[in-house]
Amino acid sequence: MRQPWPYQPRPMPDELLSSYVRRLATGMGLKPISFLNAVFGSTKNLLSQDLDNFAPEHFIDRIAFGVSRSPEEISACTLRAYAGLLIPSHNKAGRNPWLLPTTIDNNLRHRAGLQFCPTCLITDTTPYFRRRWRLAFVTSCTEHGTMLRDRCPHCSSPVHPHVALSARHCFKCGKSICEQTTGHTEHAHREWQRLLEFSLMRGWTPLGDDDLPSTSAFAIIRQIATLLVNGKRAGAFRAVIARDWGGDPAPYPKSTSRQPFEYLEISDRHRLFDMIEHVMRGWPFRFVHSCLEAGICRSHAIKDMPNPPFAYEKVVRTFLDAAPYRSSEEEVAAAADWLRRTRGKATYRDLRSICGESRAAIYRHMDYERKQKQPSRWRIEAMASLQL
């Protein structure tokens, strides 16, 4: 019969599940891989996946039973706990927006998806990794005012605490990852990041004159980040923001043209969200001005955004909608009468030059039509309506 384990530590505030498992194994005198093999069997190979992102339910339940705590408390250490606050839902089988990828292969991490604050790890009585350090917009420590780090300062290897000597050491070269403290960040940037972190606790975010559900606010921020990173107008958009509001307009190194910003290096993501902080002050006026200056219209502003939040859709539709004006039936009829009086007939070309894209109404009121082997759907619809 299974029994609770003799060592039952409480999860630290905002601790990652992988960090908690490492502390749990160390407290029982085992390596994390040996501990997981003893509990779940060596065929599971649980370290070959991102436990923080994809921990299965039976894994959560077994850990909770072993430490005599509720599954909800252990599940709160995973990244899926951000569902409903940061993202609408969590994808168990693939990549999730805002969550930094680790790309684990053969039990090794190939991407620097786990960030850390060297000062936090040094000053912690029991060093542990925070859950918020896996978020793409978190690039500085709001407690110490310094940049986060995502690699060993000696060999530039990603952080992999499961196979390292301790939470403060590099798994590859064995040296301390807490040496060579990072530089300080701007106060305005840290305050904006602190506001976003606080939004994940209360579930809503102030944006302009409104208080939005946090999922809607983060969807808007992510779309603006995408406009700055990808697309033909991204360079012009960055240049306008840097010229008028500040920030670094340098392009972001990418392996593909449509690479998500979650794959950027931490220094590039810091530049990116610093620029977003500048353009989102006084929402939506700086954003609208920058879009108009960069030639970004509504269709581009909502590209690859299947369900824009109403607050964002209202802004882009009001200020950035470049759809052509479509004349009403009465306006087309009046234009046709004027052409007959002045030119003798109302042709398709003349009516379109006056009335724009109202082709269905033009077909119903024009006097001349060029012969077509295959009538357009506008012509077919117009003739069907006349027959009715």
Side-chain angles (χ1 to χ4, degrees):
M1 181 177 179
R2 295 187 306 176
Q3 297 292 332
W5 299 319
Y7 181 62
Q8 301 177 357
R10 179 188 298 273
M12 294 291 191
D14 197 42
E15 184 172 16
L16 270 173
L17 177 63
S18 59
S19 175
Y20 180 67
V21 169
R22 186 198 61 77
R23 288 200 304 113
L24 187 60
T26 302
M28 289 190 284
L30 297 171
K31 293 181 179 180
I33 184 64
S34 302
F35 167 70
L36 293 176
N37 288 345
V39 176
F40 298 99
S42 58
T43 60
K44 298 296 183 181
N45 197 15
L46 291 170
L47 292 183
S48 64
Q49 61 179 308
D50 186 355
L51 284 179
D52 301 317
N53 204 13
F54 308 122
E57 294 294 339
H58 74 275
F59 181 89
I60 300 293
D61 294 339
R62 184 66 183 95
I63 296 294
F65 178 83
V67 297
S68 300
R69 300 194 178 277
S70 67
E72 290 76 18
E73 184 178 3
I74 304 302
S75 182
C77 298
T78 66
L79 298 177
R80 78 176 68 167
Y82 286 123
L85 296 171
L86 177 67
I87 51 180
S89 60
H90 180 263
N91 181 13
K92 296 181 180 180
R95 186 179 61 85
N96 289 275
W98 290 111
L99 306 183
L100 296 176
T102 55
T103 312
I104 299 177
D105 181 34
N106 196 24
N107 296 346
L108 295 178
R109 298 186 176 189
H110 296 275
R111 291 189 183 274
L114 177 58
Q115 306 172 120
F116 63 94
C117 171
T119 308
C120 285
L121 294 181
I122 284 292
T123 56
D124 284 341
T125 303
T126 302
Y128 70 98
F129 289 86
R130 278 66 166 170
R131 190 173 53 138
R132 62 180 177 272
W133 289 346
R134 288 293 306 273
L135 302 180
F137 72 87
V138 176
T139 58
S140 62
C141 177
T142 55
E143 180 180 354
H144 298 105
T146 56
M147 279 281 294
L148 297 183
R149 182 179 287 152
D150 60 356
R151 296 178 182 274
C152 171
H154 304 285
C155 66
S156 299
S157 299
V159 180
H160 197 181
H162 292 107
V163 294
L165 180 63
S166 74
R168 295 172 176 148
H169 291 83
C170 173
F171 81 98
K172 190 171 184 179
C173 68
K175 297 181 180 179
S176 173
I177 61 175
C178 302
E179 297 178 4
Q180 304 175 15
T181 57
T182 55
H184 283 74
T185 56
E186 294 184 3
H187 176 74
H189 183 97
R190 296 197 304 271
E191 287 299 310
W192 188 68
Q193 180 181 305
R194 184 180 285 111
L195 171 66
L196 296 183
E197 292 177 2
F198 191 48
S199 299
L200 296 177
M201 293 186 289
R202 59 188 177 186
W204 58 272
T205 307
L207 187 62
D209 296 330
D210 301 319
D211 291 327
L212 303 182
S214 56
T215 52
S216 298
F218 278 104
I220 294 173
I221 296 171
R222 191 173 193 278
Q223 183 66 8
I224 296 175
T226 302
L227 293 175
L228 287 167
V229 174
N230 296 321
K232 296 180 180 179
R233 298 174 181 83
F237 194 34
R238 294 194 302 267
V240 170
I241 296 174
R243 181 196 68 194
D244 296 337
W245 320 118
D248 185 356
Y252 304 102
K254 301 182 298 178
S255 57
T256 62
S257 60
R258 301 296 298 176
Q259 175 182 287
F261 64 81
E262 288 89 353
Y263 287 81
L264 295 176
E265 297 289 337
I266 185 172
S267 57
D268 294 318
R269 282 187 286 107
H270 185 78
R271 290 193 298 115
L272 170 64
F273 286 100
D274 181 66
M275 183 164 281
I276 295 174
E277 185 271 329
H278 282 83
V279 77
M280 291 193 71
R281 291 182 192 174
W283 175 267
F285 304 108
R286 287 189 176 188
F287 171 72
V288 170
H289 166 81
S290 301
C291 286
L292 294 175
E293 288 288 303
I296 295 177
C297 60
R298 174 180 174 273
S299 61
H300 186 80
I302 62 173
K303 185 178 181 181
D304 299 326
M305 199 178 190
N307 298 302
F310 175 76
Y312 185 70
E313 172 69 19
K314 180 181 178 181
V315 168
V316 298
R317 184 176 293 278
T318 302
F319 299 104
L320 305 179
D321 198 341
Y325 175 74
R326 298 183 182 276
S327 303
S328 64
E329 189 82 21
E330 292 77 12
E331 291 172 324
V332 175
D337 291 340
W338 177 80
L339 287 172
R340 294 186 187 101
R341 293 196 305 270
T342 57
R343 302 184 185 180
K345 59 183 177 181
T347 65
Y348 173 84
R349 179 176 296 179
D350 290 338
L351 281 174
R352 187 172 181 183
S353 65
I354 297 173
C355 303
E357 293 295 327
S358 304
R359 286 185 283 179
I362 290 174
Y363 275 123
R364 288 192 287 270
H365 293 279
M366 69 183 187
D367 296 327
Y368 170 76
E369 177 187 5
R370 62 184 178 86
K371 294 182 179 180
Q372 297 175 310
K373 292 183 179 180
Q374 179 62 39
S376 67
R377 68 180 183 89
W378 303 98
R379 175 61 177 167
I380 295 173
E381 291 174 1
M383 291 300 99
S385 64
L386 288 177
Q387 291 175 3
L388 290 175

